Amino acid sequence: MQYIKRTILVRSGLLNQLRLNVRWSSSLKIRDKESIQPERSFKSSDLSVRLAAPHQLQPKPDVSALTFGKYFTDHMLKVFYYESLGGWQAPEITPFENLVLHPAAKVLHYAVELFEGMKAYRGIDGKIRIFRPELNMERMNTSAIRSGLPTFNGNELIKCLNRLISIDQEWVPHSEASSLYIRPTLIGIDPTLGVAASDSALLYVILCPVGTYFKNSSKEVGVSLLADPRYTRAWPGGCGDRKMGSNYAPTIHVQREAAEKGLQQVLWLYGYDNQLTEVGTMNIFMFYLNENGERELVTPPLNGLILPGVTRNSILALGRELKQFKVSERKITMDEVHRLILENRLLELFGAGTACIVSPISFIDYAGQGLHIPTLEQPEPIYKMFLKCLSDIQYGYITDHPWALPID
Amino acid sequence: MQYIKRTILVRSGLLNQLRLNVRWSSSLKIRDKESIQPERSFKSSDLSVRLAAPHQLQPKPDVSALTFGKYFTDHMLKVFYYESLGGWQAPEITPFENLVLHPAAKVLHYAVELFEGMKAYRGIDGKIRIFRPELNMERMNTSAIRSGLPTFNGNELIKCLNRLISIDQEWVPHSEASSLYIRPTLIGIDPTLGVAASDSALLYVILCPVGTYFKNSSKEVGVSLLADPRYTRAWPGGCGDRKMGSNYAPTIHVQREAAEKGLQQVLWLYGYDNQLTEVGTMNIFMFYLNENGERELVTPPLNGLILPGVTRNSILALGRELKQFKVSERKITMDEVHRLILENRLLELFGAGTACIVSPISFIDYAGQGLHIPTLEQPEPIYKMFLKCLSDIQYGYITDHPWALPID
């Protein structure tokens, strides 16, 4: 009881601070020497809607049967871009339907593609909210620049998204274990072979009601990881900090190797000193007792090798606001993890991302050596506190929070 | 006259050797711990053909107007793979048509895709030949393994390809400056979000008559390159030695930077010592006078960072067979290139690839410094000899060469 009471007190204090403080929501601070051109954008005021016919409407799956990314709603958003027609065309909401692509479309050969992941939550007050969508828009535009694809005004896409979600609102699950995953995608569709920027593109958004990301785990079990120094996800001078499709295909083979060993995700290492960079599709956090005996939350810095996650950004902001422990962005190496385990100073490791929210890590297979991570054995783990904080904002336990944008 | 005569003599000697020697054509020697499963393949004997209706036939472009990858022939080959239906389905030749894909298809989000590039040539005897297709099949299968896509029996695909080319044979240009580019593509089409191997796939092949790859250059001018150490194409533990779509998207932004500086291609460097790895979509070769005053042909080794090119393999084999100069596979650094230029020991730099064949390099912008490369000033450049040798095999100037497979 004492534990629960204290946690609630901590949470309420935190939430009050959150209510007052909006300065974190500004930007992921992704640098790019080219700039986004918001003035060359499609406009939400041009949005047209073609509703699905009654016979096209799909049955909604049972909330308990939801797996990640399998069921889709009845409508989708599409915006075409043709350089020769002056750029972005009018956005349209249509019934969910297959895409028709030229066999030479650049997306199919040279991976000219990028995506985003966001979620809409049905709150306890019945209102639907999206979590910090402006950060996803910013990241989507920086991915577009790196891919030679056109940029747009993020606010215009958010307005179109609102309309789409509002049309398919019955698909937002009535459950706090579930949400509506939003997948904006931008692909190059020029019908010509040859590695070059695409003069035509399609931005589309599909929605799917989702449960938990990991099939065989619950938040109470913890994720097991394969850390194999032979594989590298990203490298300096590459695109590891952009949400481009090309960052994912190379991981599938390694992910399968992990699965064959009974492990759930890959812990991506980098460099001669085996730095921890990301875990599967998540950013990674470590909570430990530092040299001075203080509790410290640490995550790798945005050095170009890791994705600037929205959940990562939110956890750092919450942690710094709380002032209960030190918060740092710095390099973490496998040697350090190993030493902290031996010295009983490692408290928690967890992953953070939109799809998985906050996932505790319980085991690492590091080049054949099994490392037990005591995340689940902490009496009051901070990963749970973060999960609860984010949930409370997302599901409307606190109202009018600047991070939760209500759908009209 | 003397020069021409000598060149012809060299060429004839070389061709005689080529005729007798088949031992090079075995393999690109790409290693992978997983093996290709040729027994789990589609069969060319199951191939069905649906011909285009007369009104669907496209006019053939003028040979002089051909640019790379813009025009496509009247038919295409498709083979679907569905894990749940036992794997590969029967291959089919259909009219050239758009692909219909689910918006969640893995190829559109996670770049689950790979391709190959081959060419068919119309010889002086009217026969159509493909150049060493078995090497492309081998590489395509190793790319498939790394992408979590299904493998197949390369000979079965070659037989299907023969039929496709035979149906569209009027599209093979009647010109030695042109050829029919063959683009086999394999994409993951599972209609589910989530980064994972795809249980369904589509292998398809499209054909396009092509002229030269570079718009603004001819073989007599030479290619200009941007070498910027800030960008890296591939790295150890990655997929730089597989022809996966994910290797190309990250290059487009850098390629555009080169174009803005008036340069045609990117010279990809790697590591603290700025090793030369690839040039645009080609392998790179250097011809120089070594420390002992010998002429030496050198190209970077197959260390995982570069694509095992079919043209690269062929040039090495030809060079070794000739025994007129030393041939080595070893690291080349920008410091070495710089020093060789200063000491007047650099003779030639050239790129080699299926699309571009052999392309002399005349200029490198290396971190702002302009390096003039004297490739075009050599009285008897070896790049021209290689280009001629390959041409003579491809266009049937020598008959029954083991590297040139005639279409039935």
Side-chain angles (χ1 to χ4, degrees), chain B residues 259-274:
Chain B
E260 279 165 12
K261 293 184 180 197
L263 304 162
Q264 285 167 308
Q265 286 283 307
V266 177
L267 174 58
W268 295 99
L269 305 178
Y270 175 77
Y272 69 93
D273 53 354
N274 293 330

Side-chain angles (χ1 to χ4, degrees), chain B residues 249-308:
Chain B
T251 71
I252 287 172
H253 184 69
V254 190
Q255 173 62 34
R256 189 147 71 173
E257 234 173 83
E260 279 165 12
K261 293 184 180 197
L263 304 162
Q264 285 167 308
Q265 286 283 307
V266 177
L267 174 58
W268 295 99
L269 305 178
Y270 175 77
Y272 69 93
D273 53 354
N274 293 330
Q275 299 162 39
L276 286 69
T277 60
E278 289 195 22
V279 52
T281 55
M282 301 180 281
N283 290 122
I284 190 162
F285 283 85
M286 177 169 82
F287 191 53
Y288 75 115
L289 295 172
N290 69 18
E291 303 279 322
N292 306 324
E294 301 164 307
R295 296 190 310 160
E296 181 168 345
L297 177 68
V298 58
T299 194
L302 298 182
N303 58 3
L305 295 180
I306 68 167
L307 204 73

Side-chain angles (χ1 to χ4, degrees), chain A residues 32-34 68-70 72 76 96-115 144-149 181 183-187 191-198 204 206 208 213 230-239 244-257 260 270 281, chain B residues 32-34 68-70 72 76 96-115 144-149 181 183-187 191-198 204 206 208 213 230-239 244-257 260 270 281:
Chain A
D32 214 300
K33 57 178 203 161
E34 283 179 50
F68 188 87
K70 196 173 162 190
F72 298 90
M76 66 193 294
F96 187 93
E97 59 194 10
N98 284 332
L99 301 177
V100 178
L101 295 176
H102 191 281
K106 295 217 185 287
V107 62
L108 303 175
H109 300 264
Y110 310 118
V112 180
E113 60 193 71
L114 59 96
F115 65 94
I145 290 171
R146 193 65 168 83
S147 310
L149 286 169
Y181 184 81
R183 170 59 61 95
T185 312
L186 180 54
I187 60 177
T192 53
L193 298 180
V195 184
S198 191
Y204 67 97
I206 51 179
C208 44
Y213 189 82
R230 287 177 303 160
Y231 299 112
T232 308
R233 175 189 165 275
W235 68 107
C239 304
M244 291 160 64
S246 53
N247 286 328
Y248 296 86
T251 71
I252 287 172
H253 184 68
V254 190
Q255 173 62 33
R256 190 148 70 173
E257 234 174 81
E260 278 164 11
Y270 175 77
T281 55
Chain B
D32 214 300
K33 53 178 207 163
E34 284 179 51
F68 187 86
K70 197 174 162 191
F72 298 90
M76 65 191 295
F96 187 92
E97 60 194 7
N98 285 331
L99 301 176
V100 178
L101 295 176
H102 191 280
K106 294 214 187 289
V107 61
L108 304 175
H109 300 264
Y110 310 119
V112 181
E113 61 193 69
L114 59 93
F115 64 93
I145 289 172
R146 192 65 170 82
S147 310
L149 286 169
Y181 185 79
R183 171 57 62 94
T185 312
L186 179 53
I187 60 177
T192 54
L193 298 180
V195 184
S198 192
Y204 66 96
I206 51 180
C208 44
Y213 188 83
R230 289 176 303 161
Y231 299 111
T232 309
R233 177 190 165 275
W235 69 108
C239 304
M244 291 161 64
S246 53
N247 285 329
Y248 296 85
T251 71
I252 287 172
H253 184 69
V254 190
Q255 173 62 34
R256 189 147 71 173
E257 234 173 83
E260 279 165 12
Y270 175 77
T281 55

Side-chain angles (χ1 to χ4, degrees), chain B residues 22-156:
Chain B
V22 297
R23 71 184 153 86
W24 318 314
S25 58
S26 55
S27 170
L28 287 173
K29 298 197 180 64
I30 310 165
R31 273 163 299 219
D32 214 300
K33 53 178 207 163
E34 284 179 51
S35 60
I36 299 161
Q37 298 183 292
E39 68 286 0
R40 289 198 63 194
S41 182
F42 51 87
K43 304 270 179 299
S44 57
S45 53
D46 295 335
L47 180 66
S48 70
V49 178
R50 175 162 56 89
L51 290 179
H55 73 272
Q56 292 177 306
L57 300 177
Q58 295 293 314
K60 292 172 188 66
D62 192 75
V63 169
S64 64
L66 288 177
T67 49
F68 187 86
K70 197 174 162 191
Y71 303 98
F72 298 90
T73 69
D74 293 318
H75 296 87
M76 65 191 295
L77 173 75
K78 295 193 199 101
V79 199
F80 283 92
Y81 178 97
Y82 296 109
E83 191 73 42
S84 59
L85 297 179
W88 287 110
Q89 306 297 299
E92 40 181 349
I93 288 173
T94 71
F96 187 92
E97 60 194 7
N98 285 331
L99 301 176
V100 178
L101 295 176
H102 191 280
K106 294 214 187 289
V107 61
L108 304 175
H109 300 264
Y110 310 119
V112 181
E113 61 193 69
L114 59 93
F115 64 93
E116 271 301 326
M118 308 151 67
K119 280 179 177 171
Y121 307 84
R122 185 180 298 276
I124 43 158
D125 53 0
K127 272 196 195 164
I128 297 167
R129 294 174 177 83
I130 325 183
F131 188 69
R132 309 186 79 186
E134 71 284 359
L135 297 189
N136 296 89
M137 296 299 107
E138 180 191 350
R139 190 170 63 182
M140 192 167 179
N141 269 314
T142 56
S143 298
I145 289 172
R146 192 65 170 82
S147 310
L149 286 169
T151 60
F152 55 89
N153 183 330
N155 288 331
E156 297 296 326

Side-chain angles (χ1 to χ4, degrees), chain A residues 32-244:
Chain A
D32 214 300
K33 57 178 203 161
E34 283 179 50
S35 60
I36 299 161
Q37 299 184 292
E39 69 286 359
R40 289 198 63 195
S41 181
F42 51 88
K43 304 271 179 300
S44 57
S45 55
D46 294 335
L47 179 65
S48 69
V49 177
R50 176 162 54 92
L51 290 178
H55 74 269
Q56 292 177 304
L57 300 177
Q58 295 293 315
K60 292 170 189 68
D62 193 73
V63 169
S64 64
L66 288 178
T67 48
F68 188 87
K70 196 173 162 190
Y71 303 98
F72 298 90
T73 70
D74 294 318
H75 297 87
M76 66 193 294
L77 174 74
K78 294 192 200 103
V79 199
F80 283 92
Y81 179 97
Y82 296 109
E83 192 74 40
S84 59
L85 299 178
W88 287 110
Q89 306 298 298
E92 42 181 347
I93 288 172
T94 70
F96 187 93
E97 59 194 10
N98 284 332
L99 301 177
V100 178
L101 295 176
H102 191 281
K106 295 217 185 287
V107 62
L108 303 175
H109 300 264
Y110 310 118
V112 180
E113 60 193 71
L114 59 96
F115 65 94
E116 272 301 325
M118 308 151 67
K119 280 178 176 171
Y121 307 85
R122 185 179 298 278
I124 43 157
D125 54 359
K127 271 194 194 163
I128 297 167
R129 294 176 178 81
I130 324 183
F131 188 71
R132 311 186 78 186
E134 72 284 359
L135 298 190
N136 296 87
M137 296 300 105
E138 182 191 349
R139 190 170 63 184
M140 192 167 178
N141 269 314
T142 55
S143 298
I145 290 171
R146 193 65 168 83
S147 310
L149 286 169
T151 60
F152 55 90
N153 183 328
N155 288 330
E156 297 297 325
L157 183 54
I158 291 174
K159 284 182 202 160
C160 294
L161 271 178
N162 274 4
R163 185 71 191 282
L164 176 66
I165 296 166
S166 158
I167 288 172
D168 276 346
Q169 60 181 280
E170 271 318 301
W171 284 88
V172 184
H174 293 255
S175 150
E176 272 185 52
S178 311
S179 55
L180 187 73
Y181 184 81
I182 305 164
R183 170 59 61 95
T185 312
L186 180 54
I187 60 177
I189 58 172
D190 255 23
T192 53
L193 298 180
V195 184
S198 191
D199 288 338
S200 49
L202 169 62
L203 190 167
Y204 67 97
V205 184
I206 51 179
L207 309 173
C208 44
V210 294
T212 51
Y213 189 82
F214 299 118
K215 257 189 237 165
N216 306 317
S217 94
S218 81
K219 299 267 176 302
E220 299 309 314
V221 176
V223 180
S224 58
L225 307 179
L226 172 66
D228 188 331
R230 287 177 303 160
Y231 299 112
T232 308
R233 175 189 165 275
W235 68 107
C239 304
D241 57 350
R242 308 300 161 100
K243 215 163 171 61
M244 291 160 64

